[in-house]
Amino acid sequence: MNVVVVGAQWGDEGKGKLIDILSQDVDITVRYQGGNNAGHTVVVKDKEYVFHLLPSAILHKGKVCVIGNGVVIDPKALIEEIEGLEKRGLKVLVKRFKISGFCHIVMPYHRILDGLRESKRKNRIGTTGRGIGPCYADKVARCGIRMVDLLNPNLLRSKLEDNLAEKNETFEKVYDTKGFSFNKIYKEYLEYGKRLAPYVENTALYLNEAIDKKKTILFEGAQGTFLDIDFGTYPFVTSSNSIVGGVCCGSGVSPTKIHKAIACVKAYTTRVGEGPFPTEFTTELKDEIRIKGNEFGATTGRPRRCGWFDSMLVRYSVIINGISELAIMKLDVLDDLDKIQICTGYKYNGKLLKTFPMDFEVLTKAVPSYETLPGWQSTTCGITRYKDLPVNARKYIKRLEELLKVGVKYISNGTKRDQIIKR
Ligand code: IMO
Ligand code: MG
């Protein structure tokens, strides 16, 4: 079975933990979009690992990890991640890790442009500042530099010359800042190419051959459905297709070969960066949940905005992603609350909206309608069987299933690998 795991909210749903668990049962794990804007945390015993580019499955010896063509790679960040793991005793072997030659490369001018563009916007996006947007923009503008280009000195020279001619003019004339020198970047990126070359191959062919040999694949989404460039809360989104549909273009595996999509959702909602967030807390709960859930960005350290579970939002995710199973993460963060609210719809201009609004202004001004459920006020950590959960916790999950019209298969109740209930 080839399975996709996507985030159903605004990212940080706990995908890293779920992937770490599910990847034990498959042969290959693949990242298909995004870059080092992602931050996937995995806790094994008392050790914490945060992944930005490497698939979270890299911790399992004997499994293969792939970075598909839809991912944008900052080679310096990737090399640091590989070396960081190796320092902790985990060798990233060539037979276990493969990078698509078609991945676009995040260049130093992308990172700088990311910040400069933000500084000029009236409505800041609150990006991670990793150069992700400008890199994808160059991909679509057909001037991007790809992984294969780093392995070809002549091609890299001509592409970089073209890019710098244009970018340096923009830096000087639009942003009144200094441009980049060719030699420094050229030398630096050729070195990165040499370092990463052993891992580079046509991963689309590799994956399709593996499927022919009956190997199983897990696709690891980064970000979340509402950060998707097409279906997210545009323009407060990331620059790639994080939804299940992104798997195909981001890996070269046909939709006919994907069997199941699982959505990862937090038992509440969080968002980092700017943009509409109808169920955001306005009370002291915003600090309580942030601290209890350790809601600080794994990539930038920014405090995450927190709010109630929004079934209007997640139901839309279930539809767009064709979800057949849910994983509810961080249930334990709600353990102390005496009342829990679920958003069941939005009101705009006094009228109840039937579907998720397309108009950004409507979403921004939408007033959530809530249903209130009693809390369970006891610890759920360490519970391994569904029937042992407090009755009100089960009621909460059952209500989510009804609203979302899909079953909950996994419930995470702690940060550690074994703190999960499987139904
Ligand atoms: P994971 O994979 C949460 C957000 C940023 C910003 C917007 C655009 O850990 O769930 P970008 O740098 O991508 O151009 O920023 O997207 N963002 C994330 N938020 N989790 C992530 O990844 C995110 N990756 C990007 O905060 O609002
Ligand atoms: Mg994250």
Side-chain angles (χ1 to χ4, degrees):
M1 252 250 270
N2 302 322
V3 178
V4 188
V5 170
V6 288
Q9 294 151 320
W10 279 290
D12 304 320
E13 297 92 348
K15 299 178 292 290
K17 172 171 169 167
L18 188 70
I19 297 285
D20 172 62
I21 293 167
L22 299 182
S23 59
Q24 298 176 44
D25 302 325
V26 299
D27 300 301
I28 304 166
T29 301
V30 185
R31 271 280 305 266
Y32 59 90
Q33 45 72 232
N36 61 328
N37 47 351
H40 299 171
T41 308
V42 178
V43 182
V44 186
K45 298 208 175 89
D46 50 1
K47 283 192 192 146
E48 184 180 272
Y49 299 85
V50 181
F51 300 107
H52 299 289
L53 276 162
L54 288 172
S56 313
I58 197 84
L59 294 175
H60 301 296
K61 297 198 175 90
K63 304 286 179 187
V64 177
C65 287
V66 172
I67 295 187
N69 56 279
V71 174
V72 292
I73 295 182
D74 183 328
K76 183 165 183 273
L78 179 58
I79 293 165
E80 276 171 15
E81 213 169 310
I82 293 172
E83 289 176 353
L85 264 190
E86 298 198 327
K87 268 198 203 114
R88 294 175 80 172
L90 216 140
K91 272 246 161 294
V92 180
L93 303 172
V94 170
K95 64 173 188 215
R96 285 198 51 218
F97 177 50
K98 296 166 196 311
I99 305 170
S100 167
F102 292 163
C103 288
H104 278 253
I105 301 296
V106 179
M107 303 298 288
Y109 44 80
H110 292 141
R111 284 192 299 265
I112 302 294
L113 263 177
D114 199 353
L116 289 173
R117 281 190 185 151
E118 280 279 81
S119 70
K120 289 237 176 205
R121 283 187 185 111
K122 265 212 189 89
N123 284 308
R124 280 183 54 237
I125 296 170
T127 73
T128 59
R130 299 293 188 269
I132 306 298
C135 181
Y136 276 115
D138 278 1
K139 173 179 178 173
V140 179
R142 295 162 297 179
C143 62
I145 291 175
R146 307 197 291 181
M147 194 50 113
V148 273
D149 304 331
L150 300 190
L151 315 183
N152 181 337
N154 287 332
L155 201 60
L156 179 63
R157 170 178 295 279
S158 84
K159 284 194 162 189
L160 186 60
E161 277 171 355
D162 264 1
N163 268 291
L164 284 183
E166 187 210 354
K167 259 96 187 169
N168 281 347
E169 203 171 325
T170 310
F171 280 124
E172 282 151 26
K173 295 189 178 155
V174 178
Y175 296 106
D176 197 21
T177 51
K178 249 184 80 194
F180 286 84
S181 103
F182 173 87
N183 283 334
K184 186 168 171 290
I185 301 185
Y186 183 63
K187 263 179 47 199
E188 187 182 332
Y189 277 69
L190 274 181
E191 277 308 307
Y192 295 148
K194 275 193 203 142
R195 171 73 174 84
L196 296 171
Y199 300 113
V200 178
E201 66 173 84
N202 186 329
T203 53
L205 288 181
Y206 169 78
L207 292 172
N208 281 288
E209 275 168 27
I211 292 170
D212 289 342
K213 290 184 198 148
K214 307 281 178 249
K215 302 267 188 221
T216 52
I217 303 178
L218 181 64
F219 294 95
E220 169 176 0
Q223 287 85 47
T225 301
F226 291 92
L227 290 172
D228 182 275
I229 184 79
D230 286 283
F231 293 96
T233 45
Y234 193 90
F236 303 93
V237 293
T238 192
S239 299
S240 60
N241 284 113
S242 48
I243 58 164
V244 170
V247 167
C248 302
C249 344
S251 69
V253 174
S254 152
T256 56
K257 295 183 178 160
I258 295 165
H259 307 105
K260 187 165 78 175
I262 305 176
C264 213
V265 291
K266 223 175 257 193
Y268 46 101
T269 312
T270 63
R271 169 163 211 173
V272 229
E274 307 302 319
F277 181 174
T279 63
E280 186 169 13
F281 293 134
T282 49
T283 59
E284 60 282 4
L285 264 178
K286 87 177 177 266
D287 301 320
E288 192 183 325
I289 296 293
R290 180 180 294 145
I291 290 163
K292 186 112 203 280
N294 191 24
E295 296 297 354
F296 296 89
T299 299
T300 55
R302 287 177 293 175
R304 294 180 186 141
R305 299 156 65 193
C306 302
W308 293 119
F309 191 94
D310 186 342
S311 72
M312 188 79 170
L313 198 80
V314 179
R315 173 66 195 146
Y316 188 64
S317 272
V318 166
I319 295 169
I320 296 295
N321 291 301
I323 297 302
S324 58
E325 283 174 13
L326 288 174
I328 306 265
M329 312 303 282
K330 293 186 130 177
L331 183 75
D332 55 299
V333 175
L334 305 181
D335 281 354
D336 300 333
L337 303 180
D338 63 336
K339 282 195 191 95
I340 299 176
Q341 295 196 300
I342 304 175
C343 166
T344 55
Y346 300 147
K347 270 195 187 142
Y348 178 71
N349 276 347
K351 280 201 199 111
L352 197 65
L353 301 178
K354 287 216 172 71
T355 51
F356 192 79
M358 288 202 294
D359 186 312
F360 167 70
E361 195 181 306
V362 177
L363 187 62
T364 310
K365 293 184 181 160
V367 181
S369 317
Y370 288 110
E371 208 173 277
T372 305
L373 273 70
W376 43 94
Q377 296 189 291
S378 63
T379 177
T380 55
C381 277
I383 294 176
T384 55
R385 292 181 305 188
Y386 184 70
K387 65 182 175 68
D388 296 338
L389 278 177
V391 60
N392 285 349
R394 279 180 281 147
K395 278 188 183 157
Y396 182 61
I397 288 165
K398 186 151 172 282
R399 187 64 188 129
L400 295 183
E401 287 181 323
E402 285 164 6
L403 288 165
L404 302 173
K405 301 189 172 72
V406 56
V408 171
K409 169 99 183 189
Y410 304 92
I411 298 153
S412 172
N413 51 3
T415 53
K416 304 223 168 82
R417 208 182 241 174
D418 54 2
Q419 290 174 316
I420 192 139
I421 299 171
K422 223 183 199 175
R423 285 164 90 191

